[in-house]
């Protein structure tokens, strides 16, 4: 039902992002999706990768503060208003959405969205009822 | 806890009588130093001070300060004021740099020292029935033997276990029915944790521990509460203060009300000065503690600069003692920084961060001058990945640290979360302040 997302604490200093992504590249880990939330002081880098557990180990070994959490990956129908409808399905059930970003799984013909919500179970039920396709396990 | 006073006459004397006694003793001390101490005779002559020039206590300001450097420069016996045959004890503190500081005691000095410690031990709960383990390391350090003699004077049962060997310590505690311990706060905590770790075999009610006489290193109220909770059963701990230059432990100690440390004023005349200018501050002000040991003869101390920052309250205490009380040491004058006119000590920032598991204990204070005003930033290392899931939690953590520090310092500061291990670590004394204000 869920996929693994890595969150990495990064100070806003130049070159840090390049460093982190090269840790991934050196370990032969593919980054499928990425988002950065930041203030003037620090940021949180969110990553969807093909080998999340290995990536977590590598980043920790590189001295970074990292966490791994379950997020929902939902396929959005490729039509006008598709995204809005999907979001509405979730918000109608009173589930708060904290952030959303796009990612492209391996061999996929269209984009998926990573959804971080206040209540995973409720959101999944709502999305399924709405007929959405969810990604799970390690199929990305 | 029963409120006992070891020497009512001295500890509950009226302010007027105390000042008269202090003046009399100060005159005698200056006279003694002139006649017996080559070191002080020279120094007093140079400053033009003689015993009859001391007409009131504030005339002490004619006397130059004594510093730790004086002790180092005269190593080992240059400040001795009696022939060696009159000395009965020598202690030394290992300096991190240069010569150790050596202190020496006559038999009379030893009597006074024991009396001073006995008073604080009784204020901390000791009686004839107390069985006390002294878990300070014995040796050249004054802590263990100072408490040892003082507690013997009270009539307590002294068990000189010294430091270390935790399992043996706990075994004696259970088998002897030990009721008090003398230890550093961290060792007292460590013992409690070790005792809890063996609960299956030795339940906590096998310990009869009631009092902790803690010293030798500072502790925050939070740490103290934690220690007391760990021992449980109403375990109660107090702090005391002293340093080998001023005999050792025994200068001051807390009573059951723990609202400042009662000073043995008949032995120690205290002043508070501005560290930078060296001028004496008014009563109640916060600054560097300067102490004159009024009764010491083997190696006298006139106006010794402790480099410890505190303030003194002269109001009588609820416990019945009228002796002045000094605040727990707020910081070291060497570490003091001024931010927007406010004195700030790294130790205060540290106390605001203690117990927070989201961050490492490492921190850095960065000072800048922006728009002609000082700004202070505290950098802390985020180590808890669990907070990364939700952005708001990081912001909340930042705000919580900011508020904690503001509550203690009274000035607004900025907190920056940084990556683990990104603050430089120094072996030994950590460098906690980066001052960029003059750049
Ligand atoms: Zn009191």
């Amino acid at each position: 039902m869920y996929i693994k997302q890595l969150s990495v604490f990064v100070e806003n200093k130049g070159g840090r992002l390049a460093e982190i992504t090269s840790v991934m590249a050196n370990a032969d880990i593919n980054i499928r999706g990425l988002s950065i939330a930041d203030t003037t002081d620090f940021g949180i880098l969110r990553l969807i990768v093909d080998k999340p557990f290995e990536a977590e180990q590598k980043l920790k070994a590189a001295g970074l503060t990292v966490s791994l959490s379950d997020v929902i990956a939902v396929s959005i129908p490729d039509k006008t208003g598709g995204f809005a409808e999907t979001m509405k399905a979730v918000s109608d059930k009173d589930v708060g959405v904290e952030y959303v970003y796009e990612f492209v799984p391996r061999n996929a013909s269209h984009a998926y969205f990573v959804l971080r919500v206040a209540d995973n179970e409720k959101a999944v039920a709502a999305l399924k009822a709405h007929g959405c396709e969810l990604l799970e396990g390690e199929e990305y | 806890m029963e409120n006992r006073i070891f020497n009512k006459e001295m500890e509950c004397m009226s302010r007027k009588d105390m000042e008269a006694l202090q003046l009399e003793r100060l005159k005698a001390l200056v006279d003694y130093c002139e006649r017996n101490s080559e070191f002080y005779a020279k120094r007093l002559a140079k400053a033009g001070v003689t015993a009859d020039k001391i007409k009131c206590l504030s005339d002490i300001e004619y006397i130059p300060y004594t510093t730790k450097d004086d002790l180092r420069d005269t190593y080992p016996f240059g400040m001795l004021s009696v022939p060696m045959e009159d000395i009965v004890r020598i202690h030394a503190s290992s300096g991190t740099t240069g010569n150790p500081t050596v202190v020496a005691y006559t038999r009379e000095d030893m009597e006074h020292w024991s009396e001073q410690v006995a008073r604080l031990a009784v204020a901390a709960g000791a009686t004839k029935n107390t069985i006390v383990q002294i878990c300070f390391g014995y040796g050249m350090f004054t802590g263990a033997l100072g408490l040892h003699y003082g507690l013997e004077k009270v009539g307590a049962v002294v068990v000189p276990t010294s430091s270390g060997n935790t399992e043996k310590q706990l075994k004696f505690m259970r088998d002897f029915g030990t009721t008090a311990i003398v230890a550093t706060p961290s060792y007292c905590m460590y013992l409690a944790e070790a005792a809890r770790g063996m609960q299956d075999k030795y339940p906590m009610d096998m310990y009869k521990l009631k009092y902790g006489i803690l010293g030798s290193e500072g502790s925050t109220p939070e740490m103290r509460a934690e220690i007391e909770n760990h021992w449980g059963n109403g375990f109660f701990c107090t702090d005391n203060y002293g340093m080998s230059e001023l005999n050792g432990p025994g200068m001051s100690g807390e009573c059951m009300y723990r609202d400042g440390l009662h000073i043995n004023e008949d032995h120690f005349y205290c002043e508070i000065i501005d560290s930078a200018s060296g001028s004496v501050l008014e009563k109640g002000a916060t600054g560097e503690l300067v102490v004159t040991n009024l009764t010491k003869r083997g190696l006298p101390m006139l106006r010794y600069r402790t480099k410890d920052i505190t303030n003194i309250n002269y109001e009588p205490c609820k416990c019945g003692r009228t002796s002045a009380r000094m605040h727990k040491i707020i910081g070291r004058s060497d570490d003091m920084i001024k931010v927007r006119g406010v004195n700030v000590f790294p130790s205060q920032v540290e106390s605001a961060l203690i117990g927070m598991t989201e961050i490492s204990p490492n921190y850095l204070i960065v000072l800048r001058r922006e728009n002609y005003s000082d700004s202070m930033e505290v950098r802390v290392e985020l180590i808890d990945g669990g907070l990364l899931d939700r952005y708001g939690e990081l912001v909340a953590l930042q705000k919580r640290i900011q508020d904690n520090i503001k509550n203690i310092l009274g000035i607004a500061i900025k907190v920056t979360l940084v990556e683990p291990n990104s603050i430089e670590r120094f072996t030994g004394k950590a460098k906690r302040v980066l001052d960029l204000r003059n750049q």
Side-chain angles (χ1 to χ4, degrees), chain A residues 7 9-11 16 38-39 41-42 44 46 65 67 69 98 116, chain B residues 382-385 388-391 394 398 414 417-420 422:
Chain A
S7 299
F9 179 77
V10 279
E11 283 168 56
R16 207 62 174 126
D38 65 354
T39 63
D41 297 327
F42 60 83
I44 303 173
R46 318 241 182 234
T65 302
S67 77
S69 52
E98 295 183 20
R116 183 70 180 104
Chain B
L382 179 76
I383 52 168
D384 183 3
L388 295 176
D389 208 22
R390 291 186 165 78
Y391 195 78
L394 279 190
Q398 206 176 9
K414 183 190 161 188
L417 301 175
V418 299
E419 291 170 17
S422 64

Side-chain angles (χ1 to χ4, degrees), chain B residues 37-270:
Chain B
S37 162
E38 220 187 296
F39 172 87
Y40 282 117
K42 224 184 267 172
R43 193 166 272 197
L44 290 169
K46 201 175 163 203
V49 189
T50 51
D52 38 284
K53 219 182 155 183
I54 311 282
K55 301 261 188 270
C56 61
L57 280 172
S58 61
D59 287 341
I60 196 170
E61 292 179 35
Y62 296 123
I63 302 172
Y65 293 121
T66 305
T67 66
K68 200 177 194 104
D69 286 340
D70 292 325
L71 279 161
R72 290 212 181 99
D73 295 346
T74 56
Y75 174 87
F77 301 130
M79 283 174 71
L80 232 58
S81 303
V82 293
M84 195 53 94
E85 62 183 52
D86 292 337
I87 294 294
V88 299
R89 175 82 66 79
I90 285 171
H91 278 284
S93 66
S94 56
T96 40
T97 51
N99 283 328
T101 48
V102 172
V103 289
Y105 309 71
T106 63
R107 190 167 301 284
E108 197 194 354
D109 292 339
M110 291 299 296
E111 286 293 322
H112 289 315
W113 187 17
S114 304
E115 158 84 22
Q116 292 151 15
V117 177
R119 291 184 199 167
L120 77 86
V122 168
T127 68
K128 273 187 176 149
N129 298 315
T130 299
I131 300 174
V132 56
Q133 266 172 242
I134 299 190
C135 315
F136 278 155
Y138 279 70
M140 295 304 274
F141 163 62
T142 50
L145 282 164
L147 265 309
H148 183 120
Y149 277 60
L151 281 154
E152 271 189 7
K153 193 171 174 86
V154 173
V157 182
V158 174
V159 187
T161 47
S162 197
S163 59
N165 208 343
T166 302
E167 276 188 32
K168 197 49 106 15
Q169 299 270 11
L170 293 173
K171 180 181 164 56
F172 286 148
M173 276 186 196
R174 295 188 302 268
D175 297 351
F176 296 175
T178 300
T179 53
I181 72 165
V182 169
T184 60
S186 50
Y187 192 59
C188 188
M189 182 68 182
Y190 182 77
L191 280 169
E193 279 171 347
R196 293 213 165 260
M198 296 192 285
Q199 269 186 98
D200 293 347
K201 221 166 153 193
Y202 308 111
M204 288 305 280
D205 60 16
M206 291 180 80
Y207 298 95
K208 305 290 171 241
L209 217 53
K210 276 161 72 183
Y211 304 115
I213 303 175
L214 307 186
S216 164
E217 62 185 44
S219 66
T220 60
E222 293 79 15
M223 263 168 87
R224 178 145 81 186
E226 224 179 316
I227 295 169
E228 290 179 346
N229 283 336
H230 257 73
W231 278 112
N233 267 328
F235 182 69
F236 187 87
C237 37
T238 52
D239 266 356
N240 61 83
Y241 174 84
M243 55 180 62
S244 63
E245 300 90 314
L246 303 166
N247 285 345
M251 199 197 112
S252 64
E254 283 177 321
C255 65
M256 61 185 288
Y257 292 99
R258 301 196 296 202
D259 186 15
L261 289 78
H262 284 282
I263 300 169
N264 283 314
E265 285 186 277
D266 50 329
H267 293 276
F268 301 98
Y269 180 74
C270 295

Side-chain angles (χ1 to χ4, degrees), chain A residues 31-45:
Chain A
I31 297 173
R32 303 247 168 243
L34 175 155
S35 137
I36 303 176
D38 65 354
T39 63
T40 48
D41 297 327
F42 60 83
I44 303 173
L45 175 67

